[in-house]
Structures are given as structure tokens and as C-alpha cells.
Amino acid sequence: MKIIRLRVPENVSEVEVRLMVAIELYREGKVTLKQAAELADLCVEDFIKELSRRKVSVVNWPVEELKEELKEVDRL
């Protein structure tokens, strides 16, 4: 992990910045759910609650990967 220094307006807390960065990295598929939760300094359960509160899908699979998984289920 690398450390990045960032200037933000006074009215934006470090907690909010960490959460927003974690959410966006998770949404973009750059980090796993667990990694995003750690980045936000939350347990996975609380991070999932934040995702839900902000209307961000917890399921973060690319469409093609999801289609493949569904094909596998149909084969069973």
C-alpha cells in the first residue's frame, strides 16, 4: 500500500475522504470488498452498509463474468 497526501477543504473530514476513495476504487474494480473496507477503516459489514446507504451495488462483477457464472449454473 502507498501513502498519498491530499489537500481537501476544511469541511471535509479524513473519514469521509477515506470512505469516498474506498467506494470509488471498489466501484471501479480496483480493490476487493475487503480491501475497500480496510481502506475506509471499517469492518466489511459496515462498509457494505455504507455502500447500500449510498446506493452502490455490493455485487461488483463485470457483466461478462456474471454471464459466464449464470451459464455455469444453467449447466448444473
Side-chain angles (χ1 to χ4, degrees):
M1 209 166 281
K2 65 172 112 170
I3 296 173
I4 297 174
R5 293 175 53 110
L6 180 66
R7 290 183 185 191
V8 296
E10 288 290 325
N11 63 332
V12 179
S13 72
E14 179 182 340
V15 170
E16 185 68 13
V17 170
R18 292 173 66 91
L19 182 58
M20 294 305 297
V21 168
I23 289 171
E24 190 57 29
L25 289 173
Y26 178 70
R27 187 190 334 244
E28 292 291 321
K30 305 283 185 186
V31 296
T32 66
L33 184 65
K34 184 173 189 261
Q35 289 169 327
E38 289 172 356
L39 180 58
D41 202 23
L42 296 172
C43 68
V44 172
E45 181 181 351
D46 287 344
F47 187 70
I48 289 171
K49 288 177 184 175
E50 278 297 325
L51 291 174
S52 178
R53 188 172 76 75
R54 294 165 187 262
K55 310 275 191 275
V56 176
S57 177
V58 174
V59 178
N60 197 18
W61 285 358
V63 173
E64 289 305 313
E65 188 177 331
L66 182 56
K67 286 180 183 177
E68 288 300 316
E69 289 293 324
L70 292 173
K71 284 179 189 176
E72 289 296 319
V73 169
D74 286 342
R75 291 182 191 148
L76 297 177

